[in-house]
Amino acid sequence: MQYDDYKSKYKDATKQHNIMVLVGNGFDINVLSKYRNDSIDTRYAKFYDFVKYIGYDKDNILIRKMDEAKKNGKKNWSDFEALIPEVVKDEKDCKLMNTSLVELQEKFSLFLNNVVTPQIENDLGRDFTKNNWAKRSLSAFLGDLDKKNFKKIKFYADLWHHYVFNFLFVNFNYTSLLDDYIYLDKMQFNPHIYRTVDTNFSFQANPNNYENDYDYHLEGNILFSGYVHTRVIHPHGYQNIPRSLLFGASDDRFESDSEMRKFNKDYWTQYELNYGSLFNDTKLFIIYGSSVGESDKWWWKNICKTLEKDAESKEPSELIIYSYKTKFDISSFVNKYASCESGKGKIRERIFNIVYDNSDEINFLSLRPETEEDKNREKFNFSKKSNDPAIIFDDRWENIDSEVEDYFKEIIEDEEL
């Protein structure tokens, strides 16, 4: 799999930023906490209760292992994927595990269909459109950075008009809640919004109006007119196709055994073959709602490898990690998943943590109702950072001021029609 080259498909596009967003169960949990009238969500602990209620094969070794872990007070006792390496020791265990996982696939699909009901999806779809959540997530996520991190991130320095913002969402969840959320419906998105230019999207460079060190940018929350594309993939399967639900581990011990290795996720997903070529072409990585656990370490290792490779580049790849209530341990992440000792310091410099207590505090993948402030941020700001009539942006631009103003006048005229 490779990123589509949208830059070559638009007449005026000058550059393409590929943004890979990796989304875990925290997103689904947040959505269901707001749209269900009970405490049921997609956590494994809730699934365990569901299985106990509807009944199961008493010989299922994973459920027996969960019973044991719960009785012993083990942390994350309900994470049956993490328990797989503890259960599988020999060929006999492999046969029992296969039977157990097939049963869990069927029951987990049934569980999800009971948790994520058509009514919830309809209610979500209505609110997604009403509040422009997809549009805000794609255009204003830099507003979630604090002032210190905003001044450090290089992504902000590489923005201009006619750029393509190409988002690939790697949805580790089995549900379609994220797909629904990020879908650009006709109420949020018009692919031909302007009469005189072919751009279809406005990216908010500085939603919080932070002071910055990049003199070539205009003052305030300038909107860069460009293009947007989104795509969602489910490397671990879909809830409505029970056979596609992929449960597994990522254990190096399994690699040396032809049967045991089948319980590693990357054996079936063929990560390297299907997704390995994406990383070198990714400008920005974003992790949201994920525990960044061992079962998905292939992704974390490749992100670290990309950050290390680009460390000395003028246009380095970077990573934004959203963490709920607790500060993310960047050093531990790098020490665990980066392969080169000498490059770990550079990798840490390219990682930015956004801590939030409530998703209503942020722009990205939040469920906050749209406010007047949100609407005002989408209005073009023409004020200049200096009185110099010729703003020099970089080697590509000279005396660009009049061109910028003419360009914006065309857009404003279109919006007023």
Side-chain angles (χ1 to χ4, degrees), residues 153-193:
I153 197 166
K154 301 294 185 184
F155 184 83
Y156 172 74
D158 191 10
L159 296 172
W160 189 237
H161 304 291
H162 293 162
Y163 278 19
V164 178
F165 296 88
N166 182 34
F167 290 83
L168 174 67
F169 285 83
V170 181
N171 190 355
F172 291 136
N173 302 316
Y174 308 107
T175 73
S176 59
L177 292 175
L178 175 67
D179 310 53
D180 194 356
Y181 182 103
I182 213 66
Y183 181 75
L184 291 170
D185 58 79
K186 63 182 180 181
M187 299 300 291
Q188 295 186 75
F189 177 70
N190 183 345
H192 309 289
I193 190 171

Side-chain angles (χ1 to χ4, degrees), residues 329-350:
D329 192 338
I330 293 175
S331 292
S332 294
F333 172 78
V334 173
N335 289 336
K336 191 171 187 178
Y337 298 116
S339 58
C340 180
E341 194 67 35
S342 60
K344 289 182 177 180
K346 293 291 186 181
I347 297 175
R348 285 191 287 268
E349 293 176 4
R350 302 273 69 81

Side-chain angles (χ1 to χ4, degrees), residues 46 58 160 297 306 391 407:
K46 303 296 183 182
K58 302 302 180 184
W160 189 237
K297 69 180 181 181
T306 305
I391 299 176
Y407 178 78

Side-chain angles (χ1 to χ4, degrees), residues 151-292:
K151 288 176 72 69
K152 288 170 57 180
I153 197 166
K154 301 294 185 184
F155 184 83
Y156 172 74
D158 191 10
L159 296 172
W160 189 237
H161 304 291
H162 293 162
Y163 278 19
V164 178
F165 296 88
N166 182 34
F167 290 83
L168 174 67
F169 285 83
V170 181
N171 190 355
F172 291 136
N173 302 316
Y174 308 107
T175 73
S176 59
L177 292 175
L178 175 67
D179 310 53
D180 194 356
Y181 182 103
I182 213 66
Y183 181 75
L184 291 170
D185 58 79
K186 63 182 180 181
M187 299 300 291
Q188 295 186 75
F189 177 70
N190 183 345
H192 309 289
I193 190 171
Y194 303 124
R195 178 171 51 86
T196 57
V197 292
D198 67 345
T199 55
N200 58 31
F201 177 66
S202 297
F203 186 84
Q204 299 184 42
N206 187 0
N208 297 323
N209 294 322
Y210 289 138
E211 292 182 2
N212 64 81
D213 298 328
Y214 305 111
D215 291 335
Y216 55 80
H217 276 105
L218 304 183
E219 188 178 56
N221 181 31
I222 181 66
L223 299 182
F224 287 109
S225 184
Y227 314 85
V228 67
H229 286 272
T230 63
R231 181 179 181 183
V232 183
I233 61 172
H234 287 255
H236 299 162
Y238 298 87
Q239 72 178 80
N240 292 322
I241 308 176
R243 290 175 293 109
S244 74
L245 301 188
L246 178 63
F247 299 130
S250 184
D251 195 304
D252 294 336
R253 180 173 56 90
F254 288 171
E255 290 303 314
S256 60
D257 187 282
S258 60
E259 289 301 316
M260 289 184 180
R261 66 185 300 215
K262 294 177 182 178
F263 296 107
N264 275 345
K265 284 183 177 179
D266 55 2
Y267 177 86
W268 298 107
T269 58
Q270 300 183 81
Y271 284 148
E272 195 62 42
L273 177 65
N274 289 322
Y275 311 118
S277 62
L278 292 169
F279 291 85
N280 287 339
D281 295 325
T282 301
K283 176 70 173 179
L284 181 67
F285 299 95
I286 301 176
I287 299 175
Y288 182 96
S290 172
S291 62
V292 194

Side-chain angles (χ1 to χ4, degrees), residues 35 117-128 180:
Y35 284 87
T117 64
Q119 184 60 54
I120 287 178
E121 292 182 326
N122 286 337
D123 292 343
L124 279 170
R126 180 192 64 243
D127 288 348
F128 290 158
D180 194 356

